[in-house]
Amino acid sequence: MANRETQIVNFYESTLASLLASAGTSTTLTTAPTTNGSTAINASGSSYYYLVIDPDNSANREVVLVTSSSGTTISAMTRDLEGRHTSDPDHQAGTTVRMAVLAEHFADMNDRLDAGLLTLGSAITAGDLKDEDNMASNSATHASTQQSIKAYVDTQVATKPSVGLILALGG
């Protein structure tokens, strides 16, 4: 899959403003997808969104990935993500377009998490760690090992008087 950010909004539905011909990768919608009813979301860079064209028609339903858009204008999309059609279907003006939660959203999220975990896995290396039981270097750029922290705390606790001794001395 792809390590990409995909946008989704609640309850977006519109219609095609013009014909989306077979193999076409651009079209116009009658209303733009919005985050709050007024702020349009746009696809650009690595931030995309999915649409389902003709979602209530099982024979003509098509999931597309919108990779470039501005307001109601979709200038680039990848057609038939599910591979349901031998060739991209024509969609007439007035055809329903809906944003829905899709398996592709979860695949994208999983791919982004996997990529992030790989990055995190190599973010700290052995060279970034200090194994100093006395914390003598006082480094602002190195992390301490768990063993060093425990040894340091144990040493500090051992050098402090016990509560019983403090009470016996009248403290």
Side-chain angles (χ1 to χ4, degrees):
M1 288 305 258
N3 174 9
R4 62 177 160 232
E5 177 183 349
T6 51
Q7 305 175 72
I8 189 164
V9 297
N10 292 326
F11 310 111
Y12 170 72
E13 185 171 294
S14 184
T15 57
L16 293 174
S18 60
L19 169 71
L20 174 58
S22 179
T25 59
S26 61
T27 192
T28 305
L29 305 170
T30 55
T31 58
T34 63
T35 56
N36 58 7
S38 61
T39 305
I41 63 168
N42 296 307
S44 64
S46 62
S47 183
Y48 308 136
Y49 60 86
Y50 294 101
L51 292 175
V52 183
I53 303 172
D54 210 359
D56 301 317
N57 179 344
S58 62
N60 217 31
R61 179 181 309 127
E62 183 179 9
V63 175
V64 300
L65 174 66
V66 178
T67 56
S68 182
S69 71
S70 179
T72 59
T73 303
I74 296 173
S75 52
M77 73 174 87
T78 304
R79 303 273 309 258
D80 194 22
L81 294 180
E82 296 179 308
R84 297 172 57 123
H85 307 283
T86 54
S87 63
D88 298 335
D90 285 338
H91 297 288
Q92 302 301 316
T95 299
T96 300
V97 176
R98 191 175 296 147
M99 191 175 285
V101 176
L102 302 168
E104 286 80 357
H105 285 109
F106 292 96
D108 288 349
M109 285 189 291
N110 287 335
D111 291 342
R112 286 178 62 82
L113 285 169
D114 289 345
L117 290 173
L118 286 174
T119 302
L120 284 175
S122 62
I124 296 178
T125 64
D128 296 324
L129 298 175
K130 286 278 189 186
D131 189 20
E132 295 178 330
D133 293 353
N134 61 3
M135 307 278 179
S137 69
N138 194 21
S139 175
T141 59
H142 289 88
S144 296
T145 65
Q146 180 268 341
Q147 186 274 332
S148 289
I149 294 168
K150 182 179 183 318
Y152 179 79
V153 170
D154 288 349
T155 300
Q156 294 302 306
V157 169
T159 63
K160 304 297 180 222
S162 70
V163 172
L165 180 59
I166 293 171
L167 291 175
L169 295 174

